[in-house]
Amino acid sequence: MTDNTKQIFVVPFSEDIIRKAGGRTLAVRAGDPGDIGRIAAAVSADRLHCIEVAADSLSGVRLEKEWRRLPLVFRLKSAGRLLDCIPALEDLRDSAARFYLPATGENITAARVLSSLMVKTGLILDGDGADWDAMEDLLVYDSCGKVAHTSVEPFLYVYTEYKNLQADYNELYLEKEGTFFHCDESGNIALSRAALGKGEFIGTLDKADTIDFAGFSLSAREKRRGPLLKFEGCSLCPAWRVCGFKKSENNKLCAMKQFMTALADAADQVNKNAHNNI
Amino acid sequence: MPTIIFKATERCNANCAYCDVVHKKCVPDMSMDMLRLVLTRVDGYLKAKPDEHVNLTWHGGEVLMLGADYLNAAARLQEECCPSTKGRISHLMQSNLTLLTPELVAALRNLGITQVGTSYDPLDNVRGFGSARDSDSYNRRFFKGVSLLEESGMRWGLIYVVTKKSLAVPGELFHFLTNISNAVMINPVLVHGGNQPGLEITAEEYADFLGEMFKLWWPARDRYGMVRPFSEYYGYYVEKDPGLLCTRSGSCGHNHMYIGPQGQLSHCSASSDWDLVNYGNIEDTTIVEVFGRQKRKDWQERSAVLEAGDCKGCRFWGICHGGCPMDSLAVHGDLRHKSGWCAATKLFLEKYFEPITGLRYEGGCAHVN
């Protein structure tokens, strides 16, 4: 989990933006995988939170050997044809890169296969359109499976962090408000990717020293507690601590409560097994 | 380690339904001269007892109503009055957190405070501001305070007081409380003098309420951090861990005292709020003398009296010790009787804790009276 007092700036790759960011910690969005090497050269390892790369599918990804230890986060639209990944498989599984997919049924199946192939994967749970039944099945495999595999995010995050009530797996997607600040090519700063898209700016990078980031961090912490002001809905959910949604409205229609409750239970079991060396 | 419950103020900005202090006619806040005297007395105690530490627990009323200037002045006075003993003084605090500001956070740090105890109730009109007991604004300010505390790197723990209103929703309350805090204590409402109409619960009701919560806690207990009394009982059953709450420890006679805003001395917050114990005034005595008084010997002998009397043969003696002495004093006028809440302890352990866990308390006690 990221340090609550630390700000991380999510920026597009440009020499100008990286210069304006000064010594701040950065998550750099690569427009093209070819930018990866240049980003790693421009941002020192102690300042680099991750390099986020958008790509259509895994089958198009080729990792250079010198990128092996870089904190790479790929956001894919789909896994693609897994057979096409075979030539690059050794590089994929040997690298620190993690490949995120939208949580559709097809991608959830692909995540399971990739996990079994020791490729680090993750599923993006940022909307209620996920296939929750398929997610539950994957959770069973991930938490209880005896066959060697890499744990799928955000399961691994939850297993590790769920006892901390401030944990929020949305930070895997660079979306924990108050911690991640999103910037555009002009250096405008917003509180989230969505706010950036809407032009809801809080300031600019070149004047970042005048922005009260601690105040935004505090406001974000208060905002995450918003549903707790009512004794109903999300505030009473047994899965509150692991859920990345926490919206109190429409809780009776909550599609993810069953899955999130299972996720919390799985975290208990994983930790119990680890404690008992199972 | 002596615990001094220290009330520098009885003023409060809230109007919680179960509070005794709210119904009292408040005395003025502790003056700086009195504060200096208290700290001088603490210094004297620690010099006389070179192996001891003192927990100075700020209580109220609402402590934060004293303001940052007062608390900073207290820190300066401690430097002045306790130069060689300040390292053996730990400041603790109970606060409703609704008045917390960055300046007050800094003042708390000045006193070495890194965690705060607080209370909360999500049910309407139990805790709130003003005669109408406005919960909405209270709750918002509470969570603002909690957020500021956390953002400042400080920790907090939560006391939940079970009232009549709580009894219908044990499961919901369990999830709510563990969703807001990893350190929860669930206590029964203590009613004295009829100040809390409609809130009182019986020992059986409290035991059953705990039992319903326990059914949720036990299967996932590692997830929730500290939930008392469950964690406490479990620790005691499994490891004979002597971390019992003061009301169950049987040892508060050795190590508790209370100092009020005007220097008035008593045993603890409850004994002062209920006017049950009077040890005089700190102006006329020292802390060493207070702990050495004959009256205190009654406290220290209580365990022997109970073991031979009310609690004779009780399987749970080692985990309960006859409950809070204040309950005996309030009902019977002496310390020779067990608390009425003992029935709740026994019922909870026999009906819920032991059947669900498969553990059985075989007696014995790691604690030495």
Side-chain angles (χ1 to χ4, degrees), chain B residues 47-98:
Chain B
K47 279 176 175 160
K49 306 276 183 183
D51 294 332
E52 280 287 15
H53 285 69
V54 165
N55 281 334
L56 202 60
T57 301
W58 292 73
H59 215 279
E62 171 47 50
V63 177
L64 298 185
M65 290 196 75
L66 292 167
D69 288 347
Y70 189 103
L71 297 174
N72 285 325
R76 287 193 298 272
L77 275 177
Q78 181 173 277
E79 289 289 325
E80 181 188 319
C81 300
C82 312
S84 62
T85 59
K86 62 188 178 191
R88 290 188 281 139
I89 303 171
S90 297
H91 290 264
L92 307 171
M93 182 172 286
Q94 282 290 131
S95 165
N96 64 34
L97 295 176
T98 61

Side-chain angles (χ1 to χ4, degrees), chain A residues 163 217 221 225 265 268, chain B residues 144 150-151 179 182 223:
Chain A
K163 292 183 187 179
S217 177
R221 189 185 287 266
R225 288 202 154 99
D265 291 342
D268 286 338
Chain B
K144 272 179 134 23
E150 290 173 348
E151 200 72 10
N179 284 344
N182 276 335
R223 183 192 303 184

Side-chain angles (χ1 to χ4, degrees), chain A:
Chain A
M1 197 176 92
T2 50
D3 180 350
N4 282 332
T5 62
K6 192 176 169 182
Q7 296 100 37
I8 300 170
F9 292 81
V10 186
V11 301
F13 175 50
S14 89
E15 303 283 353
D16 185 47
I17 290 292
I18 289 176
R19 183 184 48 77
K20 281 180 182 173
R24 298 177 193 278
T25 301
L26 301 178
V28 184
R29 298 195 299 267
D32 183 277
D35 288 336
I36 293 174
R38 286 189 284 278
I39 293 169
V43 183
S44 59
D46 62 333
R47 283 176 58 212
L48 184 62
H49 178 74
C50 71
I51 300 172
E52 187 185 78
V53 187
D56 285 338
S57 73
L58 186 60
S59 51
V61 174
R62 291 292 179 266
L63 295 179
E64 304 294 335
K65 292 252 183 292
E66 55 266 30
W67 299 347
R68 192 166 294 173
R69 299 274 64 87
L70 289 176
L72 298 176
V73 172
F74 281 82
R75 288 186 72 131
L76 308 173
K77 290 178 184 170
S78 73
R81 192 162 172 263
L82 292 181
L83 275 174
D84 294 340
C85 302
I86 292 177
L89 194 55
E90 285 307 308
D91 291 335
L92 293 176
R93 56 162 66 126
D94 282 350
S95 77
R98 190 170 289 272
F99 301 90
Y100 283 86
L101 301 158
T104 62
E106 185 183 334
N107 285 340
I108 291 168
T109 301
R112 177 176 174 149
V113 174
L114 291 167
S115 162
S116 301
L117 296 173
M118 307 303 281
V119 175
K120 299 172 194 63
T121 55
L123 290 158
I124 302 173
L125 303 179
D126 63 354
D128 54 10
D131 185 334
W132 297 112
D133 289 337
M135 284 295 294
E136 268 194 58
D137 291 342
L138 180 64
L139 176 63
V140 172
Y141 168 77
D142 192 86
S143 61
C144 305
K146 292 294 189 184
V147 176
H149 61 279
T150 61
S151 199
V152 179
E153 292 287 21
F155 301 156
L156 181 60
Y157 180 95
V158 170
Y159 302 155
T160 313
E161 305 290 348
Y162 80 128
K163 292 183 187 179
N164 184 334
L165 286 169
Q166 302 307 312
D168 180 357
Y169 65 64
N170 286 298
E171 66 176 279
L172 297 172
Y173 318 136
L174 311 180
E175 285 292 359
K176 186 175 180 183
E177 202 173 302
T179 298
F180 293 93
F181 295 86
H182 293 252
C183 307
D184 64 14
E185 292 77 6
S186 303
N188 295 307
I189 304 173
L191 296 177
S192 66
R193 206 184 300 253
L196 191 70
K198 291 181 201 168
E200 293 167 359
F201 306 136
I202 62 169
T204 56
L205 260 182
D206 53 357
K207 291 183 182 150
D209 288 342
T210 65
I211 299 175
D212 179 17
F213 290 110
F216 284 112
S217 177
L218 178 59
S219 296
R221 189 185 287 266
E222 290 175 26
K223 187 176 164 187
R224 282 192 287 275
R225 288 202 154 99
L228 295 170
L229 288 169
K230 294 183 182 178
F231 190 63
E232 63 183 31
C234 288
S235 73
L236 308 183
C237 181
W240 165 271
R241 65 178 57 228
V242 306
C243 182
F245 294 89
K246 296 187 171 74
K247 293 177 175 52
S248 63
E249 62 267 19
N250 292 330
N251 182 258
K252 288 191 176 65
L253 305 176
C254 178
M256 68 282 291
K257 180 176 178 178
Q258 180 176 307
F259 167 74
M260 294 294 174
T261 304
L263 181 54
D265 291 342
D268 286 338
Q269 193 60 50
V270 165
N271 282 279
K272 199 175 288 186
N273 290 347
H275 181 72
N276 294 329
N277 287 320
I278 296 173

Side-chain angles (χ1 to χ4, degrees), chain A residues 165 228 231 235-241, chain B residues 122-123 158 160 162 166 168-182 184 186 209-231:
Chain A
L165 286 169
L228 295 170
F231 190 63
S235 73
L236 308 183
C237 181
W240 165 271
R241 65 178 57 228
Chain B
L123 303 178
L158 175 71
Y160 180 76
V162 182
S166 319
V169 284
E172 291 88 339
L173 279 166
F174 176 80
H175 288 308
F176 181 90
L177 295 171
T178 53
N179 284 344
I180 68 172
S181 176
N182 276 335
V184 178
I186 304 160
F209 179 88
L210 287 180
E212 291 307 309
M213 283 196 163
F214 189 73
K215 292 174 187 174
L216 298 170
W217 179 82
W218 177 250
R221 58 194 176 279
D222 294 332
R223 183 192 303 184
Y224 294 119
M226 171 74 72
V227 178
R228 297 177 93 162
F230 309 144
S231 309

